[in-house]
Amino acid sequence: MNKLSAEQIQDNWNVLISKIDTYIVEPRQTQLKDFYGKYAERIMLMPAAHKKEYHNAFPGGYVDHVNRVIDCALKINDVWVEMGVDISTYTIEELVFSALNHDLGKMGDEEHESYIPQTDKWRQEKLGEDYMFNSKLAFASVPDRGLFLLQSHGIQYSFNEMITIQTHDGLYDEGNKKYFMAYMPEQKPRTALPFIVHQADLMAARIEFEKEWLPKFGKDLAPKKGNYTLDPKNPKITSTMKTKALGSIKSEGLKNMLDNL
């Protein structure tokens, strides 16, 4: 498990708040800062997931992930712009607002945290679950809960932002097929924003996976050398491969052709 120091957790929090100052205009800038300030301690220390095999499942992992998604979204947006996306269909504020709040539902509700420390030692040791879901919390999907939290605190969001937050998991969520697999032009999203934020979330999660797990794999990542020798006539074909292939062919003509490779 990655561990962030208290200083790193505080620095990440400061970066998160600075992104609100930079990209979100009033009145939502103040509303968001008030909201995040109200739940600062909880959000600051939240993991991004409950299981260590998932991304950023450690204290402070949530804010670290959200900052990375925002950065990825801005960079991916540059690529989309360069390739000709219609930038009249969304704004940079909508992009950052959606990335900022895409996983907000993971905080739980006003009274209950979503992830709490795992109490089952077997699940913690065997399944890698350092956290568990809080059974006191009524079930809701992460996007649904996040959108509810925003509206219940008087923070308005645009139609673009609603759809983008709702669909940020892409086709990993079956419910998003109606948006991402629509075949009729009038049923497709009218903006690329959901695709950009989904790609940003996917990129961030992949980077977090690599930072957490690739060092643990170590030398196992290198291609392993097998117990075989290369055929001197064709180094791409091993002697073992050729022997097996020849043994399975009945035609003498084909055997001669393969033997001459």
Side-chain angles (χ1 to χ4, degrees):
M1 179 178 73
N2 278 328
K3 289 185 178 180
L4 298 177
S5 67
E7 291 76 16
Q8 288 174 311
I9 290 174
Q10 184 62 58
D11 287 345
N12 283 344
W13 181 256
N14 293 340
V15 168
L16 185 78
I17 299 303
S18 73
K19 291 181 186 300
I20 297 176
D21 284 329
T22 301
Y23 295 103
I24 309 299
V25 302
E26 296 291 1
R28 295 200 302 179
Q29 182 185 110
T30 296
Q31 292 172 335
L32 282 170
K33 289 172 71 175
D34 287 346
F35 172 84
Y36 278 90
K38 181 178 180 180
Y39 301 103
E41 185 175 343
R42 189 199 301 189
I43 297 175
M44 200 182 298
L45 296 174
M46 278 169 48
H50 77 289
K51 192 173 183 177
K52 64 183 180 183
E53 280 77 11
Y54 301 158
H55 62 94
N56 277 24
F58 50 82
Y62 175 82
V63 173
D64 181 76
H65 172 69
V66 169
N67 283 339
R68 187 169 290 104
V69 172
I70 295 173
D71 291 341
C72 289
L74 290 167
K75 290 184 181 296
I76 290 172
N77 180 66
D78 289 341
V79 176
W80 279 75
V81 171
E82 183 181 350
M83 298 307 296
V85 72
D86 186 349
I87 58 175
S88 71
T89 63
Y90 64 94
T91 66
I92 294 299
E93 180 176 0
E94 287 180 319
L95 176 75
V96 173
F97 183 93
S98 301
L100 171 69
N101 297 296
H102 78 282
D103 268 347
L104 183 61
K106 290 183 177 181
M107 71 161 272
D109 62 19
E110 290 86 347
E111 304 297 328
H112 306 100
E113 297 180 45
S114 182
Y115 299 136
I116 57 177
Q118 177 61 263
T119 58
D120 187 324
K121 203 168 184 83
W122 184 89
R123 297 189 70 88
Q124 187 176 27
E125 293 177 354
K126 302 300 183 183
L127 302 180
E129 295 179 1
D130 291 322
Y131 298 87
M132 63 181 183
F133 294 106
N134 189 349
S135 61
K136 294 181 180 179
L137 189 67
F139 173 78
S141 70
V142 169
D144 287 347
R145 193 185 303 283
L147 291 169
F148 179 80
L149 283 167
L150 291 171
Q151 66 88 20
S152 66
H153 286 79
I155 303 172
Q156 294 187 345
Y157 43 81
S158 68
F159 183 83
N160 277 351
E161 291 163 345
M162 177 188 72
I163 296 299
T164 301
I165 292 171
Q166 192 77 50
T167 63
H168 75 268
D169 279 327
L171 291 175
Y172 288 96
D173 184 335
E174 288 283 323
N176 293 335
K177 283 187 175 181
K178 57 184 175 289
Y179 292 103
F180 288 96
M181 294 183 67
Y183 298 104
M184 299 300 291
E186 62 270 19
Q187 293 178 327
K188 295 178 182 292
R190 304 295 173 93
T191 173
L193 194 60
F195 301 93
I196 297 172
V197 172
H198 170 54
Q199 290 173 356
D201 188 30
L202 193 65
M203 177 186 286
R206 174 64 198 187
I207 291 168
E208 289 152 13
F209 163 79
E210 292 190 359
K211 291 174 69 174
E212 170 79 11
W213 287 98
L214 293 193
K216 295 177 182 178
F217 296 150
K219 294 182 180 179
D220 289 340
L221 288 173
K224 294 183 178 179
K225 296 181 179 180
N227 294 321
Y228 56 82
T229 56
L230 294 177
D231 187 285
K233 294 183 180 178
N234 190 338
K236 292 183 180 180
I237 299 177
T238 69
S239 299
T240 302
M241 290 165 57
K242 183 182 289 188
T243 300
K244 288 183 177 179
L246 286 170
S248 64
I249 296 175
K250 295 181 179 179
S251 168
E252 288 299 322
L254 289 176
K255 283 187 178 181
N256 290 333
M257 289 175 61
L258 182 58
D259 193 40
N260 289 324
L261 286 177

PDB file of all heavy atoms in Angstrom, residues 8 14 17 34 39 69 72 92 95 99 112 117 127-128 155 165 171 174-175 183 195-196 214 225 232 255:
ATOM      1  N   GLN A   8       2.162  15.539   2.434  1.00  0.00           N
ATOM      2  CA  GLN A   8       1.673  15.268   1.078  1.00  0.00           C
ATOM      3  C   GLN A   8       0.154  15.364   1.014  1.00  0.00           C
ATOM      4  O   GLN A   8      -0.405  15.894   0.039  1.00  0.00           O
ATOM      5  CB  GLN A   8       2.134  13.884   0.631  1.00  0.00           C
ATOM      6  CG  GLN A   8       3.616  13.792   0.317  1.00  0.00           C
ATOM      7  CD  GLN A   8       4.041  12.364   0.010  1.00  0.00           C
ATOM      8  OE1 GLN A   8       3.716  11.425   0.755  1.00  0.00           O
ATOM      9  NE2 GLN A   8       4.770  12.182  -1.076  1.00  0.00           N
ATOM     10  N   ASN A  14      -4.396  21.342  -0.775  1.00  0.00           N
ATOM     11  CA  ASN A  14      -4.193  22.722  -1.220  1.00  0.00           C
ATOM     12  C   ASN A  14      -4.277  22.823  -2.738  1.00  0.00           C
ATOM     13  O   ASN A  14      -4.812  23.800  -3.277  1.00  0.00           O
ATOM     14  CB  ASN A  14      -2.833  23.238  -0.730  1.00  0.00           C
ATOM     15  CG  ASN A  14      -2.776  23.373   0.786  1.00  0.00           C
ATOM     16  OD1 ASN A  14      -3.809  23.451   1.461  1.00  0.00           O
ATOM     17  ND2 ASN A  14      -1.568  23.397   1.339  1.00  0.00           N
ATOM     18  N   ILE A  17      -8.003  22.704  -3.788  1.00  0.00           N
ATOM     19  CA  ILE A  17      -8.681  23.981  -3.569  1.00  0.00           C
ATOM     20  C   ILE A  17      -8.214  25.025  -4.587  1.00  0.00           C
ATOM     21  O   ILE A  17      -9.016  25.833  -5.077  1.00  0.00           O
ATOM     22  CB  ILE A  17      -8.443  24.477  -2.127  1.00  0.00           C
ATOM     23  CG1 ILE A  17      -8.995  23.467  -1.114  1.00  0.00           C
ATOM     24  CG2 ILE A  17      -9.087  25.847  -1.921  1.00  0.00           C
ATOM     25  CD1 ILE A  17     -10.460  23.145  -1.276  1.00  0.00           C
ATOM     26  N   ASP A  34     -16.913  26.141   0.220  1.00  0.00           N
ATOM     27  CA  ASP A  34     -17.633  25.966   1.480  1.00  0.00           C
ATOM     28  C   ASP A  34     -17.962  24.490   1.709  1.00  0.00           C
ATOM     29  O   ASP A  34     -17.821  23.973   2.823  1.00  0.00           O
ATOM     30  CB  ASP A  34     -18.921  26.795   1.479  1.00  0.00           C
ATOM     31  CG  ASP A  34     -18.659  28.281   1.628  1.00  0.00           C
ATOM     32  OD1 ASP A  34     -17.526  28.652   1.995  1.00  0.00           O
ATOM     33  OD2 ASP A  34     -19.588  29.081   1.361  1.00  0.00           O
ATOM     34  N   TYR A  39     -16.469  19.412   4.820  1.00  0.00           N
ATOM     35  CA  TYR A  39     -16.118  17.986   4.949  1.00  0.00           C
ATOM     36  C   TYR A  39     -14.629  17.756   4.714  1.00  0.00           C
ATOM     37  O   TYR A  39     -14.215  16.657   4.323  1.00  0.00           O
ATOM     38  CB  TYR A  39     -16.938  17.166   3.968  1.00  0.00           C
ATOM     39  CG  TYR A  39     -18.428  17.292   4.174  1.00  0.00           C
ATOM     40  CD1 TYR A  39     -19.197  18.091   3.329  1.00  0.00           C
ATOM     41  CD2 TYR A  39     -19.058  16.629   5.217  1.00  0.00           C
ATOM     42  CE1 TYR A  39     -20.565  18.224   3.527  1.00  0.00           C
ATOM     43  CE2 TYR A  39     -20.426  16.748   5.424  1.00  0.00           C
ATOM     44  CZ  TYR A  39     -21.169  17.551   4.570  1.00  0.00           C
ATOM     45  OH  TYR A  39     -22.534  17.684   4.781  1.00  0.00           O
ATOM     46  N   VAL A  69      -7.022  13.184 -12.093  1.00  0.00           N
ATOM     47  CA  VAL A  69      -8.064  13.154 -13.131  1.00  0.00           C
ATOM     48  C   VAL A  69      -8.237  14.540 -13.750  1.00  0.00           C
ATOM     49  O   VAL A  69      -8.380  14.677 -14.964  1.00  0.00           O
ATOM     50  CB  VAL A  69      -9.404  12.650 -12.551  1.00  0.00           C
ATOM     51  CG1 VAL A  69     -10.529  12.799 -13.582  1.00  0.00           C
ATOM     52  CG2 VAL A  69      -9.285  11.181 -12.145  1.00  0.00           C
ATOM     53  N   CYS A  72      -5.249  15.125 -16.010  1.00  0.00           N
ATOM     54  CA  CYS A  72      -5.384  14.292 -17.219  1.00  0.00           C
ATOM     55  C   CYS A  72      -6.461  14.857 -18.136  1.00  0.00           C
ATOM     56  O   CYS A  72      -6.297  14.878 -19.363  1.00  0.00           O
ATOM     57  CB  CYS A  72      -5.718  12.855 -16.840  1.00  0.00           C
ATOM     58  SG  CYS A  72      -4.364  11.924 -16.079  1.00  0.00           S
ATOM     59  N   ILE A  92     -14.330  24.860 -20.348  1.00  0.00           N
ATOM     60  CA  ILE A  92     -13.277  24.328 -19.477  1.00  0.00           C
ATOM     61  C   ILE A  92     -13.786  24.237 -18.041  1.00  0.00           C
ATOM     62  O   ILE A  92     -13.421  23.310 -17.305  1.00  0.00           O
ATOM     63  CB  ILE A  92     -12.008  25.199 -19.552  1.00  0.00           C
ATOM     64  CG1 ILE A  92     -11.397  25.124 -20.952  1.00  0.00           C
ATOM     65  CG2 ILE A  92     -10.983  24.756 -18.510  1.00  0.00           C
ATOM     66  CD1 ILE A  92     -10.965  23.723 -21.365  1.00  0.00           C
ATOM     67  N   LEU A  95     -15.572  21.080 -17.760  1.00  0.00           N
ATOM     68  CA  LEU A  95     -14.601  19.976 -17.760  1.00  0.00           C
ATOM     69  C   LEU A  95     -14.021  19.766 -16.364  1.00  0.00           C
ATOM     70  O   LEU A  95     -14.008  18.643 -15.837  1.00  0.00           O
ATOM     71  CB  LEU A  95     -13.483  20.289 -18.757  1.00  0.00           C
ATOM     72  CG  LEU A  95     -12.322  19.305 -18.836  1.00  0.00           C
ATOM     73  CD1 LEU A  95     -12.735  18.041 -19.565  1.00  0.00           C
ATOM     74  CD2 LEU A  95     -11.119  19.939 -19.534  1.00  0.00           C
ATOM     75  N   ALA A  99     -14.683  16.683 -13.618  1.00  0.00           N
ATOM     76  CA  ALA A  99     -13.561  15.883 -13.132  1.00  0.00           C
ATOM     77  C   ALA A  99     -13.420  16.006 -11.616  1.00  0.00           C
ATOM     78  O   ALA A  99     -13.157  15.022 -10.920  1.00  0.00           O
ATOM     79  CB  ALA A  99     -12.276  16.327 -13.828  1.00  0.00           C
ATOM     80  N   HIS A 112     -22.630   9.864   7.332  1.00  0.00           N
ATOM     81  CA  HIS A 112     -21.900   8.603   7.301  1.00  0.00           C
ATOM     82  C   HIS A 112     -20.843   8.575   6.198  1.00  0.00           C
ATOM     83  O   HIS A 112     -21.116   8.971   5.066  1.00  0.00           O
ATOM     84  CB  HIS A 112     -22.857   7.425   7.101  1.00  0.00           C
ATOM     85  CG  HIS A 112     -23.975   7.376   8.092  1.00  0.00           C
ATOM     86  ND1 HIS A 112     -25.238   7.829   7.797  1.00  0.00           N
ATOM     87  CD2 HIS A 112     -24.001   6.942   9.378  1.00  0.00           C
ATOM     88  CE1 HIS A 112     -26.014   7.665   8.858  1.00  0.00           C
ATOM     89  NE2 HIS A 112     -25.280   7.136   9.828  1.00  0.00           N
ATOM     90  N   PRO A 117     -12.743   1.504   8.035  1.00  0.00           N
ATOM     91  CA  PRO A 117     -11.713   0.463   8.162  1.00  0.00           C
ATOM     92  C   PRO A 117     -12.317  -0.942   8.255  1.00  0.00           C
ATOM     93  O   PRO A 117     -13.328  -1.149   8.928  1.00  0.00           O
ATOM     94  CB  PRO A 117     -11.005   0.845   9.467  1.00  0.00           C
ATOM     95  CG  PRO A 117     -11.198   2.323   9.565  1.00  0.00           C
ATOM     96  CD  PRO A 117     -12.574   2.580   9.024  1.00  0.00           C
ATOM     97  N   LEU A 127      -8.196 -10.951   1.030  1.00  0.00           N
ATOM     98  CA  LEU A 127      -8.817 -10.272  -0.108  1.00  0.00           C
ATOM     99  C   LEU A 127      -8.262  -8.872  -0.333  1.00  0.00           C
ATOM    100  O   LEU A 127      -8.653  -8.205  -1.291  1.00  0.00           O
ATOM    101  CB  LEU A 127     -10.341 -10.203   0.094  1.00  0.00           C
ATOM    102  CG  LEU A 127     -11.057 -11.543   0.263  1.00  0.00           C
ATOM    103  CD1 LEU A 127     -12.558 -11.324   0.440  1.00  0.00           C
ATOM    104  CD2 LEU A 127     -10.788 -12.467  -0.928  1.00  0.00           C
ATOM    105  N   GLY A 128      -7.384  -8.436   0.546  1.00  0.00           N
ATOM    106  CA  GLY A 128      -6.788  -7.116   0.367  1.00  0.00           C
ATOM    107  C   GLY A 128      -7.735  -5.967   0.610  1.00  0.00           C
ATOM    108  O   GLY A 128      -7.526  -4.861   0.095  1.00  0.00           O
ATOM    109  N   ILE A 155     -25.544  23.548  -4.920  1.00  0.00           N
ATOM    110  CA  ILE A 155     -24.546  23.745  -5.974  1.00  0.00           C
ATOM    111  C   ILE A 155     -25.142  23.277  -7.297  1.00  0.00           C
ATOM    112  O   ILE A 155     -25.343  22.084  -7.511  1.00  0.00           O
ATOM    113  CB  ILE A 155     -23.251  22.975  -5.655  1.00  0.00           C
ATOM    114  CG1 ILE A 155     -22.700  23.402  -4.295  1.00  0.00           C
ATOM    115  CG2 ILE A 155     -22.218  23.198  -6.762  1.00  0.00           C
ATOM    116  CD1 ILE A 155     -21.533  22.560  -3.803  1.00  0.00           C
ATOM    117  N   ILE A 165     -20.709  13.435 -15.216  1.00  0.00           N
ATOM    118  CA  ILE A 165     -20.521  12.787 -13.913  1.00  0.00           C
ATOM    119  C   ILE A 165     -21.241  11.442 -13.894  1.00  0.00           C
ATOM    120  O   ILE A 165     -20.713  10.442 -13.399  1.00  0.00           O
ATOM    121  CB  ILE A 165     -21.013  13.701 -12.771  1.00  0.00           C
ATOM    122  CG1 ILE A 165     -20.095  14.926 -12.653  1.00  0.00           C
ATOM    123  CG2 ILE A 165     -21.073  12.947 -11.446  1.00  0.00           C
ATOM    124  CD1 ILE A 165     -20.594  15.997 -11.702  1.00  0.00           C
ATOM    125  N   LEU A 171     -18.166   2.386 -20.265  1.00  0.00           N
ATOM    126  CA  LEU A 171     -18.848   1.101 -20.429  1.00  0.00           C
ATOM    127  C   LEU A 171     -18.510   0.105 -19.329  1.00  0.00           C
ATOM    128  O   LEU A 171     -18.964  -1.040 -19.375  1.00  0.00           O
ATOM    129  CB  LEU A 171     -18.538   0.520 -21.806  1.00  0.00           C
ATOM    130  CG  LEU A 171     -19.172   1.295 -22.967  1.00  0.00           C
ATOM    131  CD1 LEU A 171     -18.718   0.724 -24.303  1.00  0.00           C
ATOM    132  CD2 LEU A 171     -20.691   1.268 -22.877  1.00  0.00           C
ATOM    133  N   GLU A 174     -22.795  -0.815 -16.838  1.00  0.00           N
ATOM    134  CA  GLU A 174     -23.793  -1.242 -17.826  1.00  0.00           C
ATOM    135  C   GLU A 174     -24.810  -0.148 -18.115  1.00  0.00           C
ATOM    136  O   GLU A 174     -25.324  -0.026 -19.228  1.00  0.00           O
ATOM    137  CB  GLU A 174     -24.515  -2.495 -17.313  1.00  0.00           C
ATOM    138  CG  GLU A 174     -23.677  -3.762 -17.332  1.00  0.00           C
ATOM    139  CD  GLU A 174     -23.545  -4.349 -18.727  1.00  0.00           C
ATOM    140  OE1 GLU A 174     -24.526  -4.288 -19.487  1.00  0.00           O
ATOM    141  OE2 GLU A 174     -22.464  -4.869 -19.048  1.00  0.00           O
ATOM    142  N   GLY A 175     -25.127   0.650 -17.103  1.00  0.00           N
ATOM    143  CA  GLY A 175     -26.140   1.685 -17.271  1.00  0.00           C
ATOM    144  C   GLY A 175     -25.745   2.770 -18.248  1.00  0.00           C
ATOM    145  O   GLY A 175     -26.601   3.557 -18.677  1.00  0.00           O
ATOM    146  N   TYR A 183     -26.813   4.266 -31.456  1.00  0.00           N
ATOM    147  CA  TYR A 183     -26.505   4.199 -32.883  1.00  0.00           C
ATOM    148  C   TYR A 183     -27.190   5.305 -33.683  1.00  0.00           C
ATOM    149  O   TYR A 183     -26.717   5.677 -34.755  1.00  0.00           O
ATOM    150  CB  TYR A 183     -26.900   2.826 -33.444  1.00  0.00           C
ATOM    151  CG  TYR A 183     -26.126   1.700 -32.790  1.00  0.00           C
ATOM    152  CD1 TYR A 183     -26.725   0.879 -31.839  1.00  0.00           C
ATOM    153  CD2 TYR A 183     -24.784   1.486 -33.095  1.00  0.00           C
ATOM    154  CE1 TYR A 183     -26.007  -0.138 -31.221  1.00  0.00           C
ATOM    155  CE2 TYR A 183     -24.059   0.474 -32.486  1.00  0.00           C
ATOM    156  CZ  TYR A 183     -24.683  -0.343 -31.550  1.00  0.00           C
ATOM    157  OH  TYR A 183     -23.975  -1.333 -30.933  1.00  0.00           O
ATOM    158  N   PHE A 195     -16.728  11.717 -22.894  1.00  0.00           N
ATOM    159  CA  PHE A 195     -15.645  10.869 -23.382  1.00  0.00           C
ATOM    160  C   PHE A 195     -14.300  11.348 -22.823  1.00  0.00           C
ATOM    161  O   PHE A 195     -13.445  10.543 -22.444  1.00  0.00           O
ATOM    162  CB  PHE A 195     -15.613  10.874 -24.910  1.00  0.00           C
ATOM    163  CG  PHE A 195     -16.883  10.386 -25.536  1.00  0.00           C
ATOM    164  CD1 PHE A 195     -17.890  11.274 -25.898  1.00  0.00           C
ATOM    165  CD2 PHE A 195     -17.104   9.033 -25.766  1.00  0.00           C
ATOM    166  CE1 PHE A 195     -19.073  10.831 -26.467  1.00  0.00           C
ATOM    167  CE2 PHE A 195     -18.275   8.572 -26.341  1.00  0.00           C
ATOM    168  CZ  PHE A 195     -19.266   9.476 -26.692  1.00  0.00           C
ATOM    169  N   ILE A 196     -14.121  12.660 -22.780  1.00  0.00           N
ATOM    170  CA  ILE A 196     -12.851  13.215 -22.289  1.00  0.00           C
ATOM    171  C   ILE A 196     -12.649  12.884 -20.818  1.00  0.00           C
ATOM    172  O   ILE A 196     -11.563  12.435 -20.416  1.00  0.00           O
ATOM    173  CB  ILE A 196     -12.829  14.742 -22.519  1.00  0.00           C
ATOM    174  CG1 ILE A 196     -12.888  15.058 -24.025  1.00  0.00           C
ATOM    175  CG2 ILE A 196     -11.575  15.356 -21.893  1.00  0.00           C
ATOM    176  CD1 ILE A 196     -13.062  16.536 -24.342  1.00  0.00           C
ATOM    177  N   LEU A 214       3.479  -2.107 -10.410  1.00  0.00           N
ATOM    178  CA  LEU A 214       4.612  -2.517 -11.246  1.00  0.00           C
ATOM    179  C   LEU A 214       5.900  -2.699 -10.448  1.00  0.00           C
ATOM    180  O   LEU A 214       6.641  -3.663 -10.701  1.00  0.00           O
ATOM    181  CB  LEU A 214       4.826  -1.520 -12.393  1.00  0.00           C
ATOM    182  CG  LEU A 214       3.718  -1.472 -13.453  1.00  0.00           C
ATOM    183  CD1 LEU A 214       4.190  -0.697 -14.680  1.00  0.00           C
ATOM    184  CD2 LEU A 214       3.241  -2.862 -13.862  1.00  0.00           C
ATOM    185  N   LYS A 225      13.122 -16.279 -20.372  1.00  0.00           N
ATOM    186  CA  LYS A 225      13.750 -17.108 -21.385  1.00  0.00           C
ATOM    187  C   LYS A 225      13.353 -18.561 -21.182  1.00  0.00           C
ATOM    188  O   LYS A 225      13.504 -19.107 -20.092  1.00  0.00           O
ATOM    189  CB  LYS A 225      15.268 -16.963 -21.319  1.00  0.00           C
ATOM    190  CG  LYS A 225      15.763 -15.560 -21.642  1.00  0.00           C
ATOM    191  CD  LYS A 225      17.272 -15.492 -21.580  1.00  0.00           C
ATOM    192  CE  LYS A 225      17.757 -14.093 -21.920  1.00  0.00           C
ATOM    193  NZ  LYS A 225      19.234 -13.995 -21.862  1.00  0.00           N
ATOM    194  N   PRO A 232      19.147 -22.597 -36.347  1.00  0.00           N
ATOM    195  CA  PRO A 232      20.155 -21.749 -37.003  1.00  0.00           C
ATOM    196  C   PRO A 232      19.705 -21.216 -38.350  1.00  0.00           C
ATOM    197  O   PRO A 232      20.160 -20.159 -38.785  1.00  0.00           O
ATOM    198  CB  PRO A 232      21.363 -22.690 -37.147  1.00  0.00           C
ATOM    199  CG  PRO A 232      20.799 -24.071 -37.051  1.00  0.00           C
ATOM    200  CD  PRO A 232      19.639 -23.968 -36.119  1.00  0.00           C
ATOM    201  N   LYS A 255       6.288 -31.520 -45.258  1.00  0.00           N
ATOM    202  CA  LYS A 255       7.395 -31.689 -44.316  1.00  0.00           C
ATOM    203  C   LYS A 255       8.678 -31.090 -44.870  1.00  0.00           C
ATOM    204  O   LYS A 255       9.428 -30.424 -44.161  1.00  0.00           O
ATOM    205  CB  LYS A 255       7.605 -33.174 -44.013  1.00  0.00           C
ATOM    206  CG  LYS A 255       6.593 -33.766 -43.041  1.00  0.00           C
ATOM    207  CD  LYS A 255       6.984 -35.191 -42.685  1.00  0.00           C
ATOM    208  CE  LYS A 255       6.013 -35.791 -41.672  1.00  0.00           C
ATOM    209  NZ  LYS A 255       6.368 -37.157 -41.284  1.00  0.00           N
TER     210      LYS A 255
END
